Each structure stands twice: as structure tokens, then as C-alpha cells.
Amino acid sequence: MIPFKYNVRNLRARWKTTTMTVLGIALLVASSCIMFGLVEGLEKSLKISGDPLDLIVLRKGATAETTGGFDTGKADELLTLGGILRDGEGPVAAKELLNIAVAERHSGTYGNLIIRGVQPASRKLRSDFKIIAGRDLEPGKGECIVPPGIARVYKGARIGGLLAFGEKERYRVVGLFTAGGGSAESEVWADLKDVERNTGRDGTVSCVQIRASGPAEFDRLREEIEQGAQFRLAAHPESRYFETQSDAATFLKAAGTLIAVLLTFGAMFAAANTMFSAVKSRTREIGTLRALGFSRRDVLFSFLGESLLLSLLGGGLGLLATIPMSLLSIETMNMNTFASVNIAFRIGPWVMAVALVMTLAMGIFGGMLPALRAVRLEVVSALREL
């Protein structure tokens, strides 16, 4: 067996070619990791937004809160149903009203933001909701709270600023909040009554969110809301509702997979080119190895190992370069609501697995043909090469 340090020495001897190939592979792996990190971040934000005991009540036939409005009278009746979890402040359920409005970014461009009119119980229905700066809004005072991602990007969205949506809809920002990385971190929260007044939508709600007191009550509530003659509304389990909202993640994952495959093929050719060059320049060396008694299989594994080492160096460098992306978030569009969504990159185990598979594919398939060419060289002919 040819010692592994022999491969390391060869890569060091051809340091210019090695460096260029490693950087090229690193760039391709990093590009794919960024794409898949974005997908994983989007999927995580939707996954953690759903609670197994929560129901989102919309009108029949509606698939999203933005199109799910119904009469506020029915909404008030929903809040009186038995089986809803209650605490010292009343039912853990809330009427909510959504409005999608255009706001100006600091860059001078414009984006669609979801303004959610909420009630006090809305905070209890979101995972890990907490105010991290300033204070919570006071009902009826035209105030709002925003997540840090929106505060950084939009004009007037910092604490004390005035967040304006056209001529009539304006809210004074009084605090910043987080919600465990869930979908609420892409929304502006204001008081329900303020949003009703500013949008002229008195008498309707976009949805009612309900938390059942247990699994049996959850099933009974859902059946009563959907089948009972009093309501005839759609009660979506919150976890399933957010699964249906992940179409953008599915599209990005498919696009990312296609891009990763194409990039892998490109990197395979780059690795193969480097290894073909190595075989051509080391013909006498290969002949010497054979003359010393190393078998064709030893030479094959040696060149494959060299190709794998080259790819692993590039893949590792590419992955390390993307890890700091976990500290960043980007703004994209929810294809269901056409509103802006803030997504944090997530370089987790799945993204690392993609990087590993890409790297191994580049190393094995990129080095296979050059390695086969090396083992086919005749010993005598190879030793005669100058």
C-alpha cells in the first residue's frame, strides 16, 4: 500500500494547481450550502410556528389567513366554546386581523409587510414570545412592536420611529420582540382595534387562533367548528397549516438540489482535470512505483485518495466559510401571501450532509478516470518518459 503521506507530498509539490482546485471546490460547496441553509432556515421557522394543540380558524375554502376573513360575531362566539384552554386572564384564544401593506426600506426600495392586529392572548399562542427591547404596545394608542429583522431594514421601524404604510396607516414603534424564530418574526404587531380602524375593516377578522386544553378537547373543538351548524368554518391544526405554507421551501429545495447536482458535475470535471494533469506529469513516477512492486490496485487507490483529499480540503473550506452565515438573516417573499419574510440561515446537520455528499462525489468520480489511466500505463513505457 502506498503511504498516505506520499499523496500529501504530491499535493504540496503542486501547490499552485492544488490551491486553485481547492478554492474552486470550496466556492461550489459554499454556494450549495448557502442555498440549503436558506431552505432549512425557512422550514425551521414554519415548523416551530405550529403547536399541536392550536387551531387556526378560517372561513371555509380559505387556505391562508390573508384570505380567510369571516364575521367578527362568529369570532366572538368561538371564544366562548368549551374545551379552550383558560388561565387567570381568560381563554387562550385571540381574534386577529391581517393587512398586507407596502413599506419603504432604508435602501429606498419597497416591500410588502404583514401588519397583524392582535389581542393580549396572541402572545401566549406564539412560541417563546418575548419583548427584547422597549416595551409592549398599549391597546388603542396606535402603537406597534416589530422583530429585529424588520427594525434593521425598514424606515421608521426602530424604537421611537413612525412606521408608515400609505397616508392612513401609521404606527409608533415602542418595542422589539422575538418569537422563537417562528413566522411571527416577519410581522408587525399592532392592536386589533387600531388595525380595524386604520384599514376600515370593522366587523371582520382574518382568523381566530385557539389553544385546546387537551387532545380530546382539540378533536371536539375542531369537529364542532367545522361540522356544527352554528359555525361551518375551517379549523386547521396549526402544525398542518404551516406545513401547507412551506411551498416556497419545497421550490427552493428542488432548485437547490438541481443547482447542487450541476455544481457537483462542474467540480468533478475540475478535480478530474487536476488529476489528469497529475497523471501526465508523473508518468515516470508511476512507472517507478510499479517497478518497486506496488500493484495496479495500490496505484489506483493512491490516486483516488489524492483526489478525495483534494476534494475534502475544498469541501471543508467551503463549509467553514458558510458557518458564519448562521448569524445572518435575509428577506425573501412568501409565495402564498406575497409578503416579505425574514429567514435566518441554518447550517445544520442536513446542510453538512449535503456538503459531505457533494465532496465525496467530486473526489471519487472526479478522480476515477485519471486513476484508471494511471494504472493502465505500462511499466517500461512509463519509465522511458522524460
Side-chain angles (χ1 to χ4, degrees):
M1 195 73 178
I2 299 174
F4 182 68
K5 64 181 179 181
Y6 166 80
N7 302 110
V8 176
R9 180 183 62 79
N10 281 316
L11 291 179
R12 288 175 61 188
R14 295 177 286 107
W15 67 270
K16 289 183 180 179
T17 306
T18 298
T19 301
M20 292 302 294
T21 305
V22 166
L23 290 177
I25 291 173
L27 180 61
L28 297 177
V29 171
S31 299
S32 293
C33 286
I34 289 171
M35 172 65 78
F36 285 107
L38 177 62
V39 172
E40 191 165 336
L42 177 57
E43 289 183 332
K44 177 178 170 58
S45 71
L46 294 173
K47 182 178 180 180
I48 64 177
S49 296
D51 186 282
L53 290 178
D54 283 6
L55 287 167
I56 296 179
V57 183
L58 309 173
R59 66 173 176 79
K60 282 283 187 183
T63 57
E65 295 168 287
T66 49
T67 59
F70 57 93
D71 184 79
T72 193
K74 282 188 177 181
D76 290 331
E77 292 173 10
L78 285 169
L79 301 184
T80 66
L81 289 173
I84 296 177
L85 180 67
R86 283 172 166 76
D87 58 18
E89 298 175 352
V92 182
K95 300 183 294 182
E96 296 181 350
L97 179 64
L98 273 68
N99 183 43
I100 298 179
V102 178
E104 186 178 2
R105 301 184 181 98
H106 289 297
S107 63
T109 59
Y110 291 83
N112 294 334
L113 286 180
I114 292 179
I115 301 100
R116 184 181 292 270
V118 298
Q119 294 187 302
S122 297
R123 284 83 167 161
K124 304 171 188 175
L125 291 162
R126 267 66 179 193
S127 172
D128 299 324
F129 174 89
K130 62 181 178 180
I131 299 293
I132 60 171
R135 60 174 175 82
D136 204 348
L137 63 90
E138 293 184 22
K141 292 190 174 181
E143 298 176 345
C144 73
I145 53 176
V146 301
I150 289 178
R152 285 193 300 268
V153 174
Y154 286 87
K155 284 187 177 180
R158 294 189 175 92
I159 294 177
L162 188 65
L163 197 50
F165 305 95
E167 294 294 327
K168 296 183 178 179
E169 198 169 7
R170 297 169 184 267
Y171 304 97
R172 180 69 62 184
V173 180
V174 296
L176 302 181
F177 74 91
T178 59
S183 61
E185 292 190 9
S186 298
E187 302 172 347
V188 175
W189 279 22
D191 178 55
L192 176 66
K193 295 295 183 183
D194 288 336
V195 176
E196 284 179 345
R197 181 179 63 254
N198 290 338
T199 59
R201 292 165 61 186
D202 265 354
T204 63
V205 296
S206 297
C207 67
V208 172
Q209 300 219 27
I210 292 171
R211 177 162 296 167
S213 56
E217 289 78 6
F218 177 90
D219 294 333
R220 189 167 63 251
L221 276 168
R222 189 179 180 194
E223 182 178 358
E224 185 173 356
I225 292 168
E226 293 189 337
Q227 307 299 329
Q230 182 181 4
F231 299 109
R232 297 288 183 180
L233 298 168
H236 299 275
E238 190 176 45
S239 54
R240 191 179 303 170
Y241 171 81
F242 281 106
E243 284 178 11
T244 64
Q245 301 299 303
S246 63
D247 292 342
T250 303
F251 170 77
L252 285 174
K253 184 179 286 187
T257 302
L258 177 61
I259 291 170
V261 170
L262 294 176
L263 291 177
T264 302
F265 274 110
M268 282 164 50
F269 283 112
N273 184 60
T274 300
M275 295 309 297
F276 269 123
S277 176
V279 170
K280 186 176 180 181
S281 64
R282 290 157 58 191
T283 303
R284 290 178 64 192
E285 189 178 325
I286 293 167
T288 303
L289 289 170
R290 295 294 315 284
L292 289 172
F294 291 106
S295 67
R296 291 178 184 272
R297 186 180 67 176
D298 291 336
V299 175
L300 175 68
F301 284 142
S302 178
F303 273 82
L304 270 180
E306 199 167 308
S307 177
L308 273 172
L309 178 58
L310 197 65
S311 296
L312 287 171
L313 287 171
L317 182 61
L319 184 59
L320 285 173
T322 59
I323 287 177
M325 297 289 290
S326 299
L327 304 175
L328 304 177
S329 62
I330 68 162
E331 187 180 29
T332 185
M333 180 176 287
N334 184 322
M335 299 307 293
N336 291 300
T337 62
F338 298 101
S340 297
V341 179
N342 285 298
I343 302 172
F345 283 96
R346 181 174 171 79
I347 310 298
W350 183 68
V351 176
M352 293 181 183
V354 168
L356 178 61
V357 170
M358 285 184 68
T359 300
L360 292 176
M362 293 174 201
I364 293 172
F365 294 106
M368 182 62 72
L369 288 177
L372 289 173
R373 184 180 187 278
V375 301
R376 287 182 181 138
L377 292 173
E378 294 295 334
V379 177
V380 175
S381 299
L383 289 173
R384 287 176 180 169
E385 288 286 338
L386 295 177

PDB file of all heavy atoms in Angstrom, residues 259-278:
ATOM      1  N   ILE A 259     -29.267  22.758  -8.543  1.00  0.00           N
ATOM      2  CA  ILE A 259     -28.041  23.560  -8.613  1.00  0.00           C
ATOM      3  C   ILE A 259     -26.861  22.793  -8.025  1.00  0.00           C
ATOM      4  O   ILE A 259     -25.753  22.799  -8.578  1.00  0.00           O
ATOM      5  CB  ILE A 259     -28.246  24.901  -7.874  1.00  0.00           C
ATOM      6  CG1 ILE A 259     -29.241  25.776  -8.652  1.00  0.00           C
ATOM      7  CG2 ILE A 259     -26.917  25.635  -7.705  1.00  0.00           C
ATOM      8  CD1 ILE A 259     -29.686  27.007  -7.902  1.00  0.00           C
ATOM      9  N   ALA A 260     -27.102  22.104  -6.882  1.00  0.00           N
ATOM     10  CA  ALA A 260     -26.024  21.344  -6.248  1.00  0.00           C
ATOM     11  C   ALA A 260     -25.514  20.242  -7.170  1.00  0.00           C
ATOM     12  O   ALA A 260     -24.308  19.999  -7.259  1.00  0.00           O
ATOM     13  CB  ALA A 260     -26.514  20.750  -4.926  1.00  0.00           C
ATOM     14  N   VAL A 261     -26.436  19.564  -7.855  1.00  0.00           N
ATOM     15  CA  VAL A 261     -26.031  18.499  -8.779  1.00  0.00           C
ATOM     16  C   VAL A 261     -25.186  19.071  -9.917  1.00  0.00           C
ATOM     17  O   VAL A 261     -24.134  18.520 -10.278  1.00  0.00           O
ATOM     18  CB  VAL A 261     -27.267  17.765  -9.334  1.00  0.00           C
ATOM     19  CG1 VAL A 261     -26.880  16.834 -10.481  1.00  0.00           C
ATOM     20  CG2 VAL A 261     -27.957  16.964  -8.236  1.00  0.00           C
ATOM     21  N   LEU A 262     -25.649  20.183 -10.489  1.00  0.00           N
ATOM     22  CA  LEU A 262     -24.905  20.799 -11.590  1.00  0.00           C
ATOM     23  C   LEU A 262     -23.532  21.280 -11.127  1.00  0.00           C
ATOM     24  O   LEU A 262     -22.527  21.107 -11.832  1.00  0.00           O
ATOM     25  CB  LEU A 262     -25.709  21.968 -12.177  1.00  0.00           C
ATOM     26  CG  LEU A 262     -27.023  21.588 -12.874  1.00  0.00           C
ATOM     27  CD1 LEU A 262     -27.769  22.839 -13.309  1.00  0.00           C
ATOM     28  CD2 LEU A 262     -26.768  20.684 -14.078  1.00  0.00           C
ATOM     29  N   LEU A 263     -23.492  21.886  -9.932  1.00  0.00           N
ATOM     30  CA  LEU A 263     -22.218  22.350  -9.405  1.00  0.00           C
ATOM     31  C   LEU A 263     -21.277  21.185  -9.120  1.00  0.00           C
ATOM     32  O   LEU A 263     -20.065  21.278  -9.327  1.00  0.00           O
ATOM     33  CB  LEU A 263     -22.439  23.156  -8.125  1.00  0.00           C
ATOM     34  CG  LEU A 263     -23.124  24.522  -8.275  1.00  0.00           C
ATOM     35  CD1 LEU A 263     -23.338  25.155  -6.915  1.00  0.00           C
ATOM     36  CD2 LEU A 263     -22.312  25.454  -9.158  1.00  0.00           C
ATOM     37  N   THR A 264     -21.856  20.066  -8.639  1.00  0.00           N
ATOM     38  CA  THR A 264     -21.034  18.893  -8.364  1.00  0.00           C
ATOM     39  C   THR A 264     -20.399  18.361  -9.638  1.00  0.00           C
ATOM     40  O   THR A 264     -19.220  17.989  -9.660  1.00  0.00           O
ATOM     41  CB  THR A 264     -21.876  17.792  -7.688  1.00  0.00           C
ATOM     42  OG1 THR A 264     -22.432  18.311  -6.475  1.00  0.00           O
ATOM     43  CG2 THR A 264     -21.031  16.579  -7.359  1.00  0.00           C
ATOM     44  N   PHE A 265     -21.184  18.316 -10.723  1.00  0.00           N
ATOM     45  CA  PHE A 265     -20.632  17.876 -12.003  1.00  0.00           C
ATOM     46  C   PHE A 265     -19.498  18.799 -12.443  1.00  0.00           C
ATOM     47  O   PHE A 265     -18.454  18.347 -12.917  1.00  0.00           O
ATOM     48  CB  PHE A 265     -21.722  17.838 -13.075  1.00  0.00           C
ATOM     49  CG  PHE A 265     -22.483  16.543 -13.105  1.00  0.00           C
ATOM     50  CD1 PHE A 265     -23.806  16.486 -12.696  1.00  0.00           C
ATOM     51  CD2 PHE A 265     -21.872  15.376 -13.541  1.00  0.00           C
ATOM     52  CE1 PHE A 265     -24.509  15.294 -12.715  1.00  0.00           C
ATOM     53  CE2 PHE A 265     -22.570  14.181 -13.564  1.00  0.00           C
ATOM     54  CZ  PHE A 265     -23.888  14.134 -13.149  1.00  0.00           C
ATOM     55  N   GLY A 266     -19.709  20.102 -12.271  1.00  0.00           N
ATOM     56  CA  GLY A 266     -18.658  21.051 -12.640  1.00  0.00           C
ATOM     57  C   GLY A 266     -17.396  20.827 -11.831  1.00  0.00           C
ATOM     58  O   GLY A 266     -16.280  20.841 -12.370  1.00  0.00           O
ATOM     59  N   ALA A 267     -17.567  20.606 -10.515  1.00  0.00           N
ATOM     60  CA  ALA A 267     -16.403  20.380  -9.662  1.00  0.00           C
ATOM     61  C   ALA A 267     -15.728  19.049  -9.979  1.00  0.00           C
ATOM     62  O   ALA A 267     -14.508  18.921  -9.854  1.00  0.00           O
ATOM     63  CB  ALA A 267     -16.834  20.409  -8.194  1.00  0.00           C
ATOM     64  N   MET A 268     -16.523  18.043 -10.376  1.00  0.00           N
ATOM     65  CA  MET A 268     -15.943  16.764 -10.759  1.00  0.00           C
ATOM     66  C   MET A 268     -15.003  16.933 -11.948  1.00  0.00           C
ATOM     67  O   MET A 268     -13.909  16.360 -11.991  1.00  0.00           O
ATOM     68  CB  MET A 268     -17.052  15.765 -11.102  1.00  0.00           C
ATOM     69  CG  MET A 268     -17.739  15.170  -9.882  1.00  0.00           C
ATOM     70  SD  MET A 268     -19.312  14.359 -10.286  1.00  0.00           S
ATOM     71  CE  MET A 268     -18.847  13.300 -11.641  1.00  0.00           C
ATOM     72  N   PHE A 269     -15.409  17.743 -12.924  1.00  0.00           N
ATOM     73  CA  PHE A 269     -14.542  17.994 -14.082  1.00  0.00           C
ATOM     74  C   PHE A 269     -13.277  18.742 -13.661  1.00  0.00           C
ATOM     75  O   PHE A 269     -12.193  18.482 -14.177  1.00  0.00           O
ATOM     76  CB  PHE A 269     -15.297  18.782 -15.151  1.00  0.00           C
ATOM     77  CG  PHE A 269     -16.248  17.940 -15.953  1.00  0.00           C
ATOM     78  CD1 PHE A 269     -17.621  18.116 -15.833  1.00  0.00           C
ATOM     79  CD2 PHE A 269     -15.770  16.967 -16.813  1.00  0.00           C
ATOM     80  CE1 PHE A 269     -18.501  17.324 -16.575  1.00  0.00           C
ATOM     81  CE2 PHE A 269     -16.637  16.169 -17.559  1.00  0.00           C
ATOM     82  CZ  PHE A 269     -18.005  16.353 -17.437  1.00  0.00           C
ATOM     83  N   ALA A 270     -13.432  19.688 -12.696  1.00  0.00           N
ATOM     84  CA  ALA A 270     -12.259  20.421 -12.222  1.00  0.00           C
ATOM     85  C   ALA A 270     -11.272  19.481 -11.528  1.00  0.00           C
ATOM     86  O   ALA A 270     -10.059  19.539 -11.763  1.00  0.00           O
ATOM     87  CB  ALA A 270     -12.687  21.532 -11.267  1.00  0.00           C
ATOM     88  N   ALA A 271     -11.819  18.599 -10.664  1.00  0.00           N
ATOM     89  CA  ALA A 271     -10.953  17.638  -9.977  1.00  0.00           C
ATOM     90  C   ALA A 271     -10.320  16.672 -10.971  1.00  0.00           C
ATOM     91  O   ALA A 271      -9.134  16.338 -10.868  1.00  0.00           O
ATOM     92  CB  ALA A 271     -11.763  16.876  -8.928  1.00  0.00           C
ATOM     93  N   ALA A 272     -11.120  16.222 -11.938  1.00  0.00           N
ATOM     94  CA  ALA A 272     -10.601  15.292 -12.949  1.00  0.00           C
ATOM     95  C   ALA A 272      -9.485  15.946 -13.761  1.00  0.00           C
ATOM     96  O   ALA A 272      -8.465  15.314 -14.063  1.00  0.00           O
ATOM     97  CB  ALA A 272     -11.733  14.836 -13.861  1.00  0.00           C
ATOM     98  N   ASN A 273      -9.675  17.201 -14.115  1.00  0.00           N
ATOM     99  CA  ASN A 273      -8.655  17.913 -14.889  1.00  0.00           C
ATOM    100  C   ASN A 273      -7.339  18.001 -14.114  1.00  0.00           C
ATOM    101  O   ASN A 273      -6.245  17.800 -14.667  1.00  0.00           O
ATOM    102  CB  ASN A 273      -9.164  19.310 -15.237  1.00  0.00           C
ATOM    103  CG  ASN A 273      -8.192  20.068 -16.130  1.00  0.00           C
ATOM    104  OD1 ASN A 273      -7.881  19.626 -17.232  1.00  0.00           O
ATOM    105  ND2 ASN A 273      -7.719  21.201 -15.647  1.00  0.00           N
ATOM    106  N   THR A 274      -7.471  18.313 -12.816  1.00  0.00           N
ATOM    107  CA  THR A 274      -6.266  18.381 -11.978  1.00  0.00           C
ATOM    108  C   THR A 274      -5.566  17.033 -11.903  1.00  0.00           C
ATOM    109  O   THR A 274      -4.341  16.943 -12.004  1.00  0.00           O
ATOM    110  CB  THR A 274      -6.647  18.854 -10.563  1.00  0.00           C
ATOM    111  OG1 THR A 274      -7.248  20.144 -10.650  1.00  0.00           O
ATOM    112  CG2 THR A 274      -5.428  18.938  -9.664  1.00  0.00           C
ATOM    113  N   MET A 275      -6.341  15.975 -11.729  1.00  0.00           N
ATOM    114  CA  MET A 275      -5.747  14.645 -11.594  1.00  0.00           C
ATOM    115  C   MET A 275      -5.194  14.138 -12.920  1.00  0.00           C
ATOM    116  O   MET A 275      -4.156  13.461 -12.951  1.00  0.00           O
ATOM    117  CB  MET A 275      -6.779  13.671 -11.038  1.00  0.00           C
ATOM    118  CG  MET A 275      -7.246  13.999  -9.606  1.00  0.00           C
ATOM    119  SD  MET A 275      -5.873  14.240  -8.449  1.00  0.00           S
ATOM    120  CE  MET A 275      -5.117  12.627  -8.482  1.00  0.00           C
ATOM    121  N   PHE A 276      -5.848  14.445 -14.031  1.00  0.00           N
ATOM    122  CA  PHE A 276      -5.295  14.077 -15.344  1.00  0.00           C
ATOM    123  C   PHE A 276      -3.940  14.749 -15.539  1.00  0.00           C
ATOM    124  O   PHE A 276      -2.987  14.149 -16.038  1.00  0.00           O
ATOM    125  CB  PHE A 276      -6.245  14.495 -16.466  1.00  0.00           C
ATOM    126  CG  PHE A 276      -7.229  13.425 -16.855  1.00  0.00           C
ATOM    127  CD1 PHE A 276      -8.595  13.669 -16.818  1.00  0.00           C
ATOM    128  CD2 PHE A 276      -6.791  12.170 -17.277  1.00  0.00           C
ATOM    129  CE1 PHE A 276      -9.498  12.676 -17.167  1.00  0.00           C
ATOM    130  CE2 PHE A 276      -7.700  11.180 -17.638  1.00  0.00           C
ATOM    131  CZ  PHE A 276      -9.049  11.437 -17.581  1.00  0.00           C
ATOM    132  N   SER A 277      -3.858  16.024 -15.138  1.00  0.00           N
ATOM    133  CA  SER A 277      -2.597  16.752 -15.243  1.00  0.00           C
ATOM    134  C   SER A 277      -1.521  16.099 -14.377  1.00  0.00           C
ATOM    135  O   SER A 277      -0.360  15.982 -14.781  1.00  0.00           O
ATOM    136  CB  SER A 277      -2.811  18.210 -14.816  1.00  0.00           C
ATOM    137  OG  SER A 277      -1.597  18.916 -14.819  1.00  0.00           O
ATOM    138  N   ALA A 278      -1.961  15.651 -13.196  1.00  0.00           N
ATOM    139  CA  ALA A 278      -1.011  14.997 -12.297  1.00  0.00           C
ATOM    140  C   ALA A 278      -0.510  13.687 -12.896  1.00  0.00           C
ATOM    141  O   ALA A 278       0.685  13.366 -12.822  1.00  0.00           O
ATOM    142  CB  ALA A 278      -1.669  14.737 -10.946  1.00  0.00           C
TER     143      ALA A 278
END
